[in-house]
């Protein structure tokens, strides 16, 4: 019978859906929507403002559903506090992480960006992608709930050359995988480094710190930083340091180890080197497990690095989605990306994008709900 699911279809078929609702108005008057992606027991909310992942609701081992990402309850929270600030859940562009001196050179031409963190430019500048309203379309197909976001950044925006057209697709499948796929094209040579800045607390946002979460990072090396958190250019072995997460280790175990690099960043705020990878090849980067709730997050990516940031700048001044205040270490970001400051570091993989080429990047956040079959 037409329209009827095929025999053997899982109960998730037909259950996957994306629905938009109004979520206020951006400072420039543009209406903002909030998309709700649902699939089985998992619900993800995405704002057209900044492409922000506002919430990710997943069951724990006992079936209790909780929001496991940090954020704000309303649009005003993001507009007023997210940049400068924690960049909760946001799409970061055009250039994730730091560019030393806010400067880079492409084809012999030097570009100066606005500085927004001491001497450097952080996360694409004061009016980065996290503060833009993206246009969206529903790309759900019954088995996967999805929304596609598009942003055309004009040449010269935040100092970057080239008109950059960026398309980001969030999909939520029946295996509790949230996939973020990025594509970008330009009409003039430029640099691009896109990421998503979600903070995880697998016990639930607002539940306290994540120092008891056990982290595994599939990396032999990390990038030491200078006093302004710019990589020195060297890749250092993790062996014998608090940066060795090759075997699962609680985040809090070595946070107070007195290591110079940890003092510089007030904790972990470094890139782990995932090794060479082709742009189509997904590889596991991180596994984050919370013994208290039984939840596990696995992160896989096509990117060469992951920035593990232990929420060092959260200082008790922001009230989160559920009405609780966030303090230092109350969430962790695992930002898959090219290395910080790549355009100024000849030894790092290139972040240049030229006309006729397409930037492609994929990251998968997998959060199995043990009760899915129940
Ligand atoms: C990234 C940076 C951190 C911090 C956060 C936002 O993770 O590496 O230093 O700026 O963004 O607070």
């Amino acid at each position: 019978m037409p329209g009827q699911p095929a025999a053997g279809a899982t109960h998730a078929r037909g259950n996957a859906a994306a629905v938009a609702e109004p979520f206020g108005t951006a400072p420039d008057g543009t209406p903002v929507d909030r998309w709700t992606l649902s699939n089985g027991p998992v619900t993800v909310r995405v704002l057209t403002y900044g492409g922000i992942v506002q919430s990710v609701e997943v069951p724990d081992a006992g079936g209790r559903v909780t929001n496991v990402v940090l954020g704000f309850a309303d649009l005003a929270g993001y507009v007023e506090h997210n940049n400068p600030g924690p960049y909760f859940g946001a799409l970061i562009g055009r250039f994730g992480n730091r560019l030393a001196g806010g400067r880079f050179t492409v084809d012999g031409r030097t570009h100066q960006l606005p500085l927004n963190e001491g001497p450097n430019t952080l996360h694409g500048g004061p009016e980065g992608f996290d503060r833009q309203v993206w246009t969206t379309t529903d790309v759900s197909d019954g088995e996967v709930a999805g929304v596609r976001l598009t942003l055309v950044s004009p040449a010269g925006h935040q100092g970057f050359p080239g008109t950059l057209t960026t398309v980001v697709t969030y999909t939520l499948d029946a295996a509790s995988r949230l996939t973020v796929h990025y594509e970008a094209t330009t009409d003039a040579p430029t640099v691009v480094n896109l990421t998503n800045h979600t903070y995880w607390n697998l016990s639930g946002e607002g539940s306290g710190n994540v120092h008891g979460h056990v982290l595994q990072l599939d990396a032999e090396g990390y990038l030491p930083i200078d006093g302004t958190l710019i990589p020195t250019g060297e890749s250092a072995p993790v062996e014998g340091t608090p940066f060795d997460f090759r075997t699962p280790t609680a985040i809090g175990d070595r946070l107070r180890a007195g290591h110079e690099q940890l003092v510089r960043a007030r904790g972990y705020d470094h890139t782990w080197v995932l090794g060479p990878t082709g742009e189509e090849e997904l590889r596991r980067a991180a596994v984050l497990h919370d013994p208290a709730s039984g939840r596990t997050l696995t992160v896989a990516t096509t990117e060469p690095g992951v920035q593990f940031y232990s929420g060092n700048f959260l200082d008790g001044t922001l009230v989160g989605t559920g009405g609780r205040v966030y303090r230092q270490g109350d969430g962790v970001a695992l930002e898959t990306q090219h290395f910080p400051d790549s355009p100024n570091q000849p030894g790092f993989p290139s972040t240049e994008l030229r006309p006729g080429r397409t930037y492609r990047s994929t990251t998968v956040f997998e959060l199995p709900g043990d009760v899915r079959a129940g």
Side-chain angles (χ1 to χ4, degrees):
M1 187 178 162
Q4 197 162 325
T10 69
H11 66 277
R13 183 186 278 275
N15 161 355
V19 178
E21 63 185 323
F23 198 68
T25 307
D28 70 355
T30 311
V32 172
D33 282 344
R34 175 169 73 171
W35 284 83
T36 298
L37 311 184
S38 36
N39 204 343
V42 181
T43 307
V44 174
R45 294 197 168 80
V46 174
L47 311 184
T48 57
Y49 179 84
I52 287 167
V53 174
Q54 187 206 12
S55 65
V56 176
E57 291 165 29
V58 289
D60 66 8
R64 283 170 298 264
V65 175
T66 308
N67 173 20
V68 295
V69 303
L70 275 52
F72 297 111
D74 57 12
L75 183 62
Y78 291 99
V79 170
E80 287 162 26
H81 303 300
N82 219 27
N83 170 5
Y87 298 84
F88 288 146
L91 290 179
I92 303 296
R94 294 187 186 189
F95 203 95
N97 216 293
R98 297 173 177 79
L99 284 162
R103 241 188 329 269
F104 62 92
T105 301
V106 179
D107 286 0
R109 249 190 91 189
T110 298
H111 301 270
Q112 178 66 55
L113 314 179
L115 308 179
N116 61 343
E117 195 193 52
N120 304 321
T121 299
L122 174 68
H123 293 333
E127 296 294 331
F129 283 8
D130 59 285
R131 289 179 67 82
Q132 311 301 313
V133 179
W134 298 57
T135 58
T136 47
T137 47
D138 184 354
V139 294
S140 309
D141 67 4
E143 290 187 31
V144 166
V147 61
R148 178 163 295 150
L149 300 88
T150 303
L151 181 71
V152 180
S153 169
H157 183 236
Q158 295 294 283
F160 290 94
T163 309
L164 192 76
T165 302
T166 303
V167 179
V168 178
T169 310
Y170 287 109
T171 51
L172 177 63
D173 69 18
S176 305
R177 283 187 295 239
L178 175 65
T179 298
V180 193
H181 179 69
Y182 308 79
E183 290 197 7
T185 52
T186 182
D187 64 1
T190 191
V191 295
V192 183
N193 190 17
L194 306 177
T195 192
N196 174 277
H197 209 292
T198 293
Y199 290 62
W200 304 91
N201 182 327
L202 300 180
S203 279
E205 68 80 27
S207 67
N209 72 49
V210 296
H211 295 169
H213 283 37
V214 175
L215 179 66
Q216 181 170 4
L217 294 171
D218 297 318
E220 313 259 316
Y222 77 103
L223 304 180
I225 50 176
D226 71 13
T228 69
L229 311 196
I230 293 286
T232 59
E234 165 210 9
S235 172
V238 296
E239 176 86 46
T241 76
F243 293 82
D244 191 348
F245 283 92
R246 290 174 298 177
T247 54
T249 308
I251 288 172
D253 272 10
R254 298 162 302 180
L255 257 180
R256 293 176 175 81
H259 191 284
E260 185 202 5
Q261 284 291 319
L262 292 177
V263 174
R264 258 179 207 177
R266 306 185 183 185
Y268 295 104
D269 193 356
H270 298 75
T271 300
W272 271 253
V273 178
L274 301 172
T277 178
E279 54 176 34
E280 305 300 337
E281 187 201 335
L282 269 176
R283 51 184 287 154
R284 195 180 76 175
V287 182
L288 183 67
H289 174 68
D290 171 31
S293 66
R295 291 191 184 91
T296 302
L297 166 72
T298 303
V299 183
T301 187
T302 57
E303 288 296 307
V306 60
Q307 181 86 5
F308 161 40
Y309 168 59
S310 53
N312 314 326
F313 299 127
L314 299 175
D315 62 0
T317 57
L318 300 175
V319 179
T321 329
R324 308 258 306 164
V325 161
Y326 296 138
R327 300 177 65 85
Q328 194 175 40
D330 280 2
V332 289
L334 293 164
E335 307 154 54
T336 53
Q337 56 186 33
H338 270 57
F339 303 165
D341 198 36
S342 292
N344 301 311
Q345 304 267 1
F348 289 177
S350 173
T351 48
E352 261 184 39
L353 181 68
R354 309 189 72 84
R357 300 297 303 266
T358 302
Y359 167 101
R360 284 196 184 83
S361 171
T362 304
T363 294
V364 180
F365 299 100
E366 186 173 355
L367 286 144
D370 294 350
V371 294
R372 171 163 295 276

